[in-house]
Amino acid sequence: MARRHRNGYRFTEKTHSKRGVAALFLSIISIGILVAAVVSSFDSRGNGSMYLGSAGVTSMLVGICALVLAVKSLGEENSFKLFPYLSTLCSFLITGIWVALYVIGFLA
């Protein structure tokens, strides 16, 4: 079935990956929590509360879930690959940053 597109007809059944969009949304949430945690930690001069630490752990878990969703979305057939690739990149970077922060925290 042809769908009307801005420049004419589009002869494809491809759609945007719902898993890819969800993974991108989760990784953006994790990035926002990271920024908020860093700003809050600087404001308290490194003496953050346990709520700040639990927000960080939760955000790291959200990043890991986003990474799993993003990798699963790469294997979807008949879908555009913009959101799966973008979400894989973002979630991989944010998960790597969180893991590096915790490894540095344990070693310091």
Side-chain angles (χ1 to χ4, degrees):
M1 174 168 67
R3 292 184 180 174
R4 181 81 172 128
H5 196 253
R6 186 175 77 192
N7 297 331
Y9 285 96
R10 181 175 66 168
F11 294 99
T12 183
E13 294 297 320
K14 287 186 176 184
T15 59
H16 289 290
S17 171
K18 292 181 181 175
R19 284 183 184 167
V21 173
L24 184 62
F25 181 70
L26 288 175
S27 63
I28 289 172
I29 288 173
S30 185
I31 290 170
I33 293 173
L34 173 69
V35 169
V38 168
V39 168
S40 179
S41 181
F42 273 118
D43 285 344
S44 65
R45 298 177 192 219
N47 296 324
S49 67
M50 67 178 174
Y51 297 113
L52 187 60
S54 63
V57 171
T58 303
S59 179
M60 185 175 71
L61 293 175
V62 168
I64 291 170
C65 290
L67 184 61
V68 169
L69 265 177
V71 169
K72 284 185 178 182
S73 71
L74 286 174
E76 290 181 0
E77 294 181 14
N78 235 1
S79 66
F80 295 113
K81 298 298 180 187
L82 173 70
F83 286 113
Y85 285 133
L86 192 60
S87 61
T88 301
L89 177 70
C90 287
S91 60
F92 183 73
L93 286 175
I94 195 63
T95 302
I97 290 170
W98 275 117
V99 168
L101 275 173
Y102 280 103
V103 167
I104 289 170
F106 281 124
L107 295 177

